[in-house]
Amino acid sequence: MKSLHLGLLTLLGVTWTVGATGQSTAHPRVALVFDDGPLPAQAEGFLAILAREGVRATFSHVGQNVVAHPELSRAVAAAGHEINNHTYTHPHFLTLSDAAIRQEVRDTQAAILAATGQAPRWFWGAYSDWDARIAAAVSAAGMTPFPSNRFNYISSEDWRAETSAEAILRNATTNIRDRTLILCHEWRAETLTMLPAIIGELKRQGCVFVTFSELEALTVAPEAITRQSATAGHNISITAPAATGSLQWRISTDYGRTWANLTESATYRGVTTNTLSITGVAAVQNAALYLLVATSNGATTYPSLTKLSVLADTLPYPTAITADSAGNLYAADAATDTIKRIDLASVVTVFAGTAGQSGSADGTGAAARFNDPSGLVGTTTGELAVSDTGNATLRLITSAGTVSTLAGSATLRGNTDGPGSAATFSSPRGIAQDTAGTLYVADSLNHTIRKISASGTVSTLAGTAGSSGSSDGVGAAARFNHPTGIEVDTSGNVYVADATNNLIRKIAPDGTVTTLAGLVGVSGTQDGAGADALFNQPGGLALDGSGNLFVADTGNSTIRRITPAGVVSTLAGLPGIAGLKDGAGPDAWFNQPLDVCHGADGALYVADTGNAAIRRVGPDGTVTTLALSALTRSEPTPPTPPEPPTQPPTTPPTTTTPTTPTGSNGGGGGGAIGACFLALLGAAWFARGVARRP
């Protein structure tokens, strides 16, 4: 049954993300790529972890290893992972003859086909070697070179002996955005050890795991696109100041499959200049692509390609939630870098920050800036305290919306204790406050729990910076592994969701850390007392008046309850099933909820992150979805993309001339420049070769 749940989780997660949000960075698509296998013991370990986590990946197999261990390649393919041709002996191709290069490519292709019954589509060379001879051999074998340049390419640097396990984790989970390729190596033992933590952190960031082919299957190369956001109803301009010649702006509402010329209208001005003005941006324009075509002396160029994101006061990625005594809710929205207020009528407004503009500026309301806020709590003085994770700072917001920085530095990362900006954090996430006004913060990447006095002086309550683990103990002797959620009771006991350890920990006022529930390092969804209970990447925490602790069990897409005696039960959600469904108990579905809080009405409110929704769990356990009053975003369904072309367009296509976008065919325009245009955007990667580490 667990494998069925994992399979459904993966299926539902990928379908929802790609089908409903396209390129949305709220759920970045990530491809894990493992080089140099298959290797005995290592391969089995990677497969076991990926199966347990419900993650599909891409393996680059070396031909001689496939011949030696065909059963491992078969197991990789049978598990639904993708296999690439990674040469036969992993040589420097530039030192080989043409015949030897062809033999390396052909023999590897034949070995993988014999072992799995599937011929690899992609070639992933060794040592970044690439030239025309290699290209010819790859093409002759019916493959395509692995175009890492077309994506957000990240190396874990695990091929370097000096790269520590912690550095591998940090490298593999930093600077993630949509369509990210993360390169690791199957032979590195530390990579296998850190893989659960890597996957856990990527899941916490809302990532959806895909194979490379799924990552590549998008018509427009992302690095060619400038992204621009606009609030619905406002005016914006898109400009290419250096563009010259005969100019024409075009629009596509189907991901570049078809395009249409724009004409002057009440909506569009400057359609034949280097600045396109759009009046009263509407939801229908969300995810539209705007292309500037320049023709000069018979040559056609494309100086600008912009994807428009139409923002509204909804919550595309709620990471934290809290409530005030009047019944208003406040949510941190990491997708728009804002703090939003939800009133009793479920009307959403921006309380602080400006949608789509990240930064660290203090100020009032829209003048303030945040960067990936992911922790939120109402204070005893009527303010909001915010864990501004991307800035590594703790912020305060008054009831009037005035934002100030309480502690930490937006320009430095570290673990220094001290007053205000002299203190440093690495990745502050969950935040809570006791009755005396002291704040407690889960400093996730430092693996520590920090305290902040009312005056802003920071100290470390428990754990040792840079030392992950699961040991109970007092103060610095205790160990955590990426703590996320945090809560404190009226007696001063602090509760911690120790995410990568899959534990709920308790810290007494004297700093003594014990394990309340969960089994260290084991993910699952079992109810029971203490170590008999299992969690999967637990996130936000909330206490009720009776001392019951509620947990957003993110990886299980459930809400759990822990009694003061440590007995765990599942309050709502169907373990392993990610979806959006109201109901009671297992009939209610969530999608990777990150945080919970209690409202003034006694109900539990959930930041249902994967569903971009706020859910209410009533005292009787019935789950409902708040009908937030905001603009519904319109995102086109991506078409089945054509194969990437190999030649740029030679002449501008002919199109019709709609004045506004009216549907998925770009307003009826017949000029399908998509295939030809994309070649121009992607041609450079082929000429440059495949940039990567060995």
Side-chain angles (χ1 to χ4, degrees), residues 178-445:
D178 192 34
R179 301 181 78 218
T180 291
L181 185 157
I182 303 171
L183 176 63
C184 303
H185 287 80
E186 190 175 312
W187 49 265
R188 185 71 188 267
E190 290 83 355
T191 300
L192 178 60
T193 300
M194 299 307 295
L195 185 57
I198 291 171
I199 293 173
E201 172 58 18
L202 293 172
K203 284 183 175 180
R204 189 206 64 78
Q205 294 183 36
C207 295
V208 171
F209 296 90
V210 296
T211 65
F212 178 77
S213 287
E214 293 166 335
L215 192 73
E216 198 274 344
L218 184 65
T219 305
V220 178
E223 70 275 11
I225 303 175
T226 298
R227 284 164 172 77
Q228 187 161 334
S229 299
T231 302
H234 288 237
N235 305 332
I236 65 162
S237 294
I238 303 171
T239 186
T244 59
S246 176
L247 305 178
Q248 174 65 59
W249 285 95
R250 292 177 178 163
I251 185 173
S252 174
T253 56
D254 59 5
Y255 291 90
R257 185 175 182 179
T258 59
W259 297 81
N261 286 342
L262 293 174
T263 60
E264 294 290 315
S265 67
T267 301
Y268 296 110
R269 298 291 184 187
V271 298
T272 58
T273 72
N274 58 15
T275 298
L276 176 67
S277 297
I278 307 177
T279 302
V281 172
V284 71
Q285 290 155 292
N286 185 57
L289 296 172
Y290 291 92
L291 170 69
L292 179 59
V293 181
T295 305
S296 180
N297 297 323
T300 300
T301 58
Y302 305 95
S304 174
L305 175 62
T306 299
K307 180 184 177 183
L308 180 62
S309 294
V310 180
L311 304 174
D313 290 330
T314 50
L315 292 163
Y317 198 66
T319 51
I321 189 168
T322 192
D324 64 19
S325 58
N328 300 298
L329 298 173
Y330 297 86
D333 186 3
T336 60
D337 296 310
T338 58
I339 307 301
K340 294 182 177 179
R341 180 178 182 267
I342 308 168
D343 68 13
L344 297 178
S346 295
V347 175
V348 183
T349 55
V350 177
F351 186 57
T354 294
Q357 296 187 27
S358 62
S360 60
D362 291 338
T364 299
R369 295 289 184 271
F370 300 89
N371 189 356
D372 192 19
S374 58
L376 199 60
V377 68
T379 71
T380 55
T381 58
E383 297 174 304
L384 292 179
V386 182
S387 288
D388 195 3
T389 307
N391 284 322
T393 56
L394 278 301
R395 317 288 293 278
L396 289 178
I397 312 177
T398 69
S399 58
T402 300
V403 179
S404 60
T405 300
L406 174 66
S409 168
T411 59
L412 294 174
R413 301 292 186 275
N415 53 69
T416 303
D417 289 338
S421 60
T424 57
F425 298 85
S426 179
S427 182
R429 299 198 185 281
I431 185 169
Q433 188 180 51
D434 65 17
T435 54
T438 300
L439 291 168
Y440 298 83
V441 180
D443 196 358
S444 184
L445 289 181

Side-chain angles (χ1 to χ4, degrees), residues 66 84 92 96 112 147 156-157 161 311 330 345 387 397 406 429 463 478 520 533 541 565 588 646 661 688:
V66 176
N84 298 321
H92 275 289
L96 302 183
I112 296 173
S156 67
E157 298 292 323
L311 304 174
Y330 297 86
S387 288
I397 312 177
L406 174 66
R429 299 198 185 281
V520 62
L541 304 176
T646 58
R688 292 194 304 265

Side-chain angles (χ1 to χ4, degrees), residues 459-475:
S459 59
T460 300
L461 174 65
T464 296
S467 296
S468 62
S470 59
S471 302
D472 290 338
V474 179

Side-chain angles (χ1 to χ4, degrees), residues 567-614:
V567 178
V568 180
S569 59
T570 301
L571 175 65
L574 184 59
I577 299 298
L580 178 57
K581 181 182 177 184
D582 289 343
D587 289 330
W589 294 358
F590 299 87
N591 189 349
Q592 299 185 2
L594 283 180
D595 199 18
V596 291
C597 77
H598 278 97
D601 59 354
L604 187 72
Y605 289 87
V606 181
D608 192 5
T609 311
N611 282 323
I614 303 299

